[in-house]
Amino acid sequence: MYHGWGRTRNYFEGWYFKIVDPTERFVFALIPGISLGKNGDTHAFIQMLDGKKSTSTYHEFPADNFQPSSETFELALADNFFSANQLHLNLPELQGELHWQNRYPWPRMLGAPGIMGWFSFVPFMECYHGVVSLNHTLQGRMRVYGEDVDFTDGKGYIEKDWGESFPNAWIWMQTNHFEAAYPVCLSASVAKIPWLGSHFIGYIVGFLLNEKLYRFATYTGAMMKADFDDDTVRLSFRDRKNRLEIIAHKAAGGNLVSPLSGNMVGKVNESMQAVIEVQLFENEQLIFGGNGKNAGLEVAGPAQELLTEKWRR
């Protein structure tokens, strides 16, 4: 749901809808949101990232076109509509309506209402993060650059962010396109988080394997290692029982606009053509190994500050 009631400046909120048709010819991210700048400038927007062409477009709307529901996750934005169960688009590039089935939300737990765990309750965080659906199946058709495309049996993913600004540096990756007869999904982020005049390196990882979600996060007590070069990003996470090894192979991407004190003035390059190798160990026994395609990957800001060769919390 929308969190920005009563905010007039220094605030942004946006949702990230990933849609992939069953042939994997078309991979898109649609990002509707609101920008309430520190100088009073306001507007609504829909960003569209074409993962195959590595191009992006930014559609701007008057702020009063942004009409969220106060009771559930529903957002009307001009002639477009977004919710936890469907989207309707009337953009120059994309027109049509999609619904989804078998949505897998991040589970709610006592003391941890979402992916951020108890950090969700901290009132002064620079940016908050949520996952609406780790995986779901698409139903419907769309006009894509004038071509009629059937998205039925394709895959989708939804997350959101809200607050004042994105972190100073972060690594983010996501994929739910593994060769498996059951849902396998990865969502992982590592970021430099401001904290009481200083900062810490925070991380949140969810790996869904056949209806079981493995969580590795700062608030769960998990440990991490991180490294990257020009071609790959390597992340490792472990707790008392499980270990997750990730190697993400970089690919061409498109430029998106990101928030800074509510103003959409930052830049981040995101690939949707990355390939991510994943291995999950339970008590040092390999229980899953596979490659995720059509993967989103971002390495932003001075990300070398996130790296560590030794296990650390």
Side-chain angles (χ1 to χ4, degrees):
M1 293 175 60
Y2 182 56
H3 290 78
W5 303 107
R7 299 294 297 263
T8 59
R9 60 182 62 227
N10 287 3
Y11 186 77
F12 80 95
E13 188 157 346
W15 293 262
Y16 178 102
F17 289 77
K18 180 180 180 180
I19 58 173
V20 183
D21 81 296
T23 70
E24 301 178 30
R25 287 178 57 215
F26 299 101
V27 179
F28 293 103
L30 287 308
I31 308 171
I34 186 74
S35 169
L36 307 176
K38 64 180 179 180
N39 54 2
D41 291 341
T42 65
H43 71 273
F45 60 86
I46 300 175
Q47 293 195 73
M48 189 200 80
L49 176 62
D50 185 324
K52 292 296 187 179
K53 293 185 177 182
S54 297
T55 59
S56 65
T57 52
Y58 190 91
H59 300 283
E60 186 172 324
F61 304 88
D64 58 8
N65 283 185
F66 184 87
Q67 298 291 330
S69 168
S70 61
E71 299 178 354
T72 186
F73 169 32
E74 293 183 355
L75 170 66
L77 182 45
D79 294 329
N80 305 276
F81 178 81
F82 304 86
S83 78
N85 300 305
Q86 68 180 94
L87 65 75
H88 174 86
L89 296 176
N90 188 16
L91 300 174
E93 305 87 355
L94 300 174
Q95 308 91 38
E97 185 169 295
L98 299 180
H99 298 254
W100 24 89
Q101 300 175 340
N102 304 317
R103 185 166 59 91
Y104 194 99
W106 190 276
R108 294 177 176 269
M109 303 176 185
L110 184 64
I115 191 172
M116 290 185 65
W118 64 265
F119 284 104
S120 301
F121 300 112
V122 177
F124 52 79
M125 298 290 286
E126 181 182 48
C127 183
Y128 297 85
H129 184 63
V131 171
V132 180
S133 177
L134 283 159
N135 186 70
H136 50 264
T137 303
L138 306 179
Q139 301 289 325
R141 309 181 72 90
M142 301 199 77
R143 296 285 292 176
V144 181
Y145 304 120
E147 177 185 349
D148 184 49
V149 177
D150 189 359
F151 278 79
T152 299
D153 294 328
K155 291 186 177 183
Y157 168 84
I158 311 171
E159 67 174 41
K160 70 169 297 184
D161 295 281
W162 69 100
E164 293 188 6
S165 304
F166 272 5
N168 173 258
W170 73 89
I171 297 169
W172 171 87
M173 60 184 69
Q174 182 278 329
T175 177
N176 51 355
H177 274 83
F178 290 85
E179 294 293 335
Y182 44 81
V184 181
C185 318
L186 172 72
S187 178
S189 59
V190 180
K192 182 179 178 181
I193 310 297
W195 186 261
L196 299 176
S198 183
H199 72 274
F200 68 93
I201 305 304
Y203 37 95
I204 307 172
V205 182
F207 184 61
L208 177 65
L209 179 63
N210 195 18
E211 301 297 321
K212 182 175 180 178
L213 180 64
Y214 294 84
R215 299 181 305 145
F216 303 86
T218 308
Y219 61 84
T220 68
M223 304 183 75
M224 69 160 285
K225 291 196 294 187
D227 187 25
F228 68 80
D229 55 33
D230 291 340
D231 301 315
T232 57
V233 178
R234 294 170 291 278
L235 300 177
S236 302
F237 302 91
R238 77 177 191 191
D239 55 26
R240 292 182 178 181
K241 185 177 180 180
N242 304 304
R243 177 165 56 91
L244 188 68
E245 298 288 344
I246 301 169
I247 303 176
H249 299 272
K250 297 179 181 179
N255 291 321
L256 294 172
V257 183
S258 62
L260 181 63
S261 297
N263 290 105
M264 301 299 289
V265 295
K267 299 290 184 182
V268 57
N269 185 271
E270 178 181 327
S271 170
M272 299 185 77
Q273 300 182 53
V275 175
I276 301 178
E277 300 177 42
V278 178
Q279 290 184 314
L280 178 65
F281 297 84
E282 188 172 288
N283 295 323
E284 295 305 321
Q285 180 179 351
L286 180 67
I287 62 172
F288 176 83
N291 295 343
K293 300 180 296 180
N294 304 312
L297 178 62
E298 298 174 0
V299 180
Q304 65 274 6
E305 298 179 15
L306 309 175
L307 306 186
T308 172
E309 294 182 359
K310 298 181 179 180
W311 289 105
R312 76 175 181 200
R313 285 193 168 87

